[in-house]
Amino acid sequence: MALQDQPAYIIKMRAKPGLGDKLFELASAGMTKSGASDRFIIAREDGDPDILWNVEVFKSEEAKVNYENSPLVDELRDEIIDLLAEPPMRIPVHPYAALPINVS
């Protein structure tokens, strides 16, 4: 599947003060566990260590749907929601370009 056809999200989450490390640990573990994405970047804002940005690129629309309907997503949401100071922001996107390019 071409990169530009892969569904993706840009996600922003703000942890309650002092809970940023735990949020980053859970989000990173969840991304690795899901197997639905073939690339992701989890970044921490320089000016606020409690803000997480995630760019998640799913392998396919089917992988995205399967993940979103899995017990894992419910488990992660329950753990993560308790750490957040405000509702998360999630924007659906499609990548335009990225490196490295995985050609299968």
Side-chain angles (χ1 to χ4, degrees), residues 7-26:
Y9 285 125
I10 296 173
I11 300 167
K12 177 186 178 188
M13 291 187 275
R14 179 188 302 273
K16 293 174 185 168
L19 295 179
D21 288 342
K22 184 67 175 169
L23 175 62
F24 277 79
E25 289 170 21
L26 286 173

Side-chain angles (χ1 to χ4, degrees), residues 1 4 21 35 37 46-47 67 70-71 82 93-94 98-100 102:
M1 169 175 282
Q4 293 175 343
D21 288 342
S37 300
D46 289 346
Y67 168 70
S70 71
D82 288 340
V93 298
H94 279 79
L99 285 177
N102 297 328

Side-chain angles (χ1 to χ4, degrees), residues 75-96:
E75 176 188 323
L76 293 170
R77 182 176 28 246
D78 290 346
E79 289 183 79
I80 287 173
I81 289 295
D82 288 340
L83 301 175
L84 300 183
E86 59 192 39
M89 175 190 75
R90 186 171 74 171
I91 303 168
V93 298
H94 279 79
Y96 182 79

Side-chain angles (χ1 to χ4, degrees), residues 1-10 36-41 54-61 64 91-102:
M1 169 175 282
L3 176 68
Q4 293 175 343
D5 295 327
Q6 292 179 250
Y9 285 125
I10 296 173
S37 300
D38 63 0
R39 67 183 75 219
F40 64 89
I41 296 173
N54 181 16
V55 178
E56 175 178 12
V57 181
F58 293 93
K59 294 176 183 176
S60 65
E61 185 64 37
K64 177 179 163 274
I91 303 168
V93 298
H94 279 79
Y96 182 79
L99 285 177
I101 296 173
N102 297 328

